[in-house]
Amino acid sequence: MSMIVAGVMSGTSADGINVALVQLPTRGRGRPRYTLLAHAEYAFPAPVRRAILEMMNAELARVAELARLNFLLGELYAEAVAKTARKHRVKLDLVGCHGQTLYHQGVAQRFLGRKLAVTWQTGEGAVVAARLGVPVVSDFRPADMAAGGKGAPLVPFLDYFLYRDQRVARIAQNIGGIANVTTIPAGASLGQVLAFDTGPGNMVMDAVMEELFGKRYDRDGKIAASGRVLDGVVEKLVRASFFRQKPPRTAGREEFGREYVGRFLQLCRGASKPDVMATATALTARSIADALQRFVSPRFVVPRTAARRKEAGRQMIVSGGGAKNPTLMTMLRDAMTPLGIGLHFSDEFGLPAEAKEAVAFALLAYETWHRRPSNVPSATGAKRAAILGKISYA
């Protein structure tokens, strides 16, 4: 017997909805065995994307519009899942819906006399459950934060089961709006996994494209490839305090959103548009490489007995929308070579790059449904393992 779970994800870039249909055993412990049945992407209509981006700005957000957006996204998530299930003639048992992050503050700050770490993912799970007629697990991050964690990253749970190897040390690098890394030493236990946000992924690049070219993203990295990197600007940016902050750490539009992009463009003032785009792309590659060199390489050792084997070594496995940008991948590959890390893609391991996060939330929902914890305390900083999410019944 098996159950079919739909994972639903919309990232910090607010480009659209990713859906993955995943088959998992009805019961079972240990390493989950899953089959990816299908995946699909649906772009947000332009007015919806504009509204999401506006709601991420605390100065513009209005309570009534936030409430409406919550229910609207529930409808859109349900429609995306239903369309995918119909197309592939699949009957669902469960849905795991991450929702759209509007605000994430992983470090506690004082508010009305209390120090609080907070997060907000919108997209009403009850609406999704009612429309699809199956239970929905949503709002995954608060349970980890209640246990003392930062609420992110959560995908390392999937990374560990996908990529753990007795001989090969692996780095799972996801490049969505924000770039995040999971490091899995050779032969590691789940408690030895280190994961954190390295900094901007596509977020700064996409914002620069919209500002300078009126386009949502740099298709195939062609504009960046035609420009010259402003090395001085990159050097200045990577000296910022965020990049020196030790893991666990998280980032979002609060760190790399509109205000950050404004400062970035000021630093690039006078440069050609392709040069500015090349510099934004280099910032993502450089911040990833610096994070690995600073926080990962010193502890990321290949066992001596395995190092003699040709297949042993250190591998970076890239997923997310950034994996589709050849210019960014070239910059990242060049940065990894001195660290002795080979570059690979999640597609090589049977999981399409664009489907990975949606698959992760299908798996997390499956674990929650079976009342099992699925955060990784060594990645989030939580004091204990926690069962994630809230269940809406149909």
Side-chain angles (χ1 to χ4, degrees), residues 92-231:
L92 296 175
D93 298 298
L94 183 68
V95 174
C97 183
H98 172 270
Q100 179 67 53
T101 298
L102 293 184
Y103 187 79
H104 185 82
Q105 176 209 306
V107 177
Q109 296 181 13
R110 190 161 291 280
F111 177 73
L112 299 179
R114 297 287 184 97
K115 288 195 75 175
L116 303 169
V118 300
T119 191
W120 190 3
Q121 284 71 48
T122 194
E124 184 52 57
V127 171
V128 181
R131 300 297 175 265
L132 297 175
V134 297
V136 173
V137 184
S138 60
D139 211 13
F140 289 87
R141 300 188 185 277
D144 179 81
M145 300 179 82
K150 295 183 181 296
L154 297 182
V155 176
F157 186 80
L158 171 66
D159 288 333
Y160 175 76
F161 289 107
L162 272 179
Y163 301 132
R164 178 179 176 271
D165 190 275
Q166 287 298 323
R167 298 186 299 271
V168 183
R170 287 180 170 149
I171 298 164
Q173 180 70 55
N174 183 70
I175 307 177
I178 293 296
N180 49 73
V181 66
T182 303
T183 65
I184 310 160
S189 66
L190 187 58
Q192 293 174 301
V193 170
L194 174 70
F196 59 97
D197 288 349
T198 57
N202 302 314
M203 185 178 290
V204 174
M205 292 186 286
D206 291 351
V208 170
M209 277 298 297
E210 287 212 19
E211 181 69 26
L212 300 184
F213 296 92
K215 297 181 179 180
R216 292 174 71 161
Y217 64 99
D218 183 10
R219 185 180 295 274
D220 297 327
K222 288 180 179 178
I223 293 176
S226 69
R228 179 181 60 86
V229 175
L230 305 175
D231 292 315

Side-chain angles (χ1 to χ4, degrees), residues 233-285:
V233 171
V234 176
E235 288 292 337
K236 183 171 184 176
L237 289 169
V238 296
R239 289 199 296 268
S241 60
F242 173 85
F243 299 111
R244 298 194 303 271
Q245 181 183 332
K246 292 182 179 179
R249 72 185 192 202
T250 62
R253 288 192 178 275
E254 296 74 27
E255 288 77 21
F256 299 107
R258 185 175 310 190
E259 291 78 12
Y260 185 88
V261 171
R263 294 194 298 272
F264 173 83
L265 291 172
Q266 281 293 316
L267 289 173
C268 297
R269 191 171 47 191
S272 72
K273 291 182 180 181
D275 287 356
V276 177
M277 198 62 227
T279 304
T281 306
L283 172 62
T284 292

Side-chain angles (χ1 to χ4, degrees), residues 55-66:
M55 295 304 102
M56 290 177 182
N57 188 321
E59 301 299 320
L60 297 176
R62 300 170 67 176
V63 174
E65 290 175 350
L66 289 167

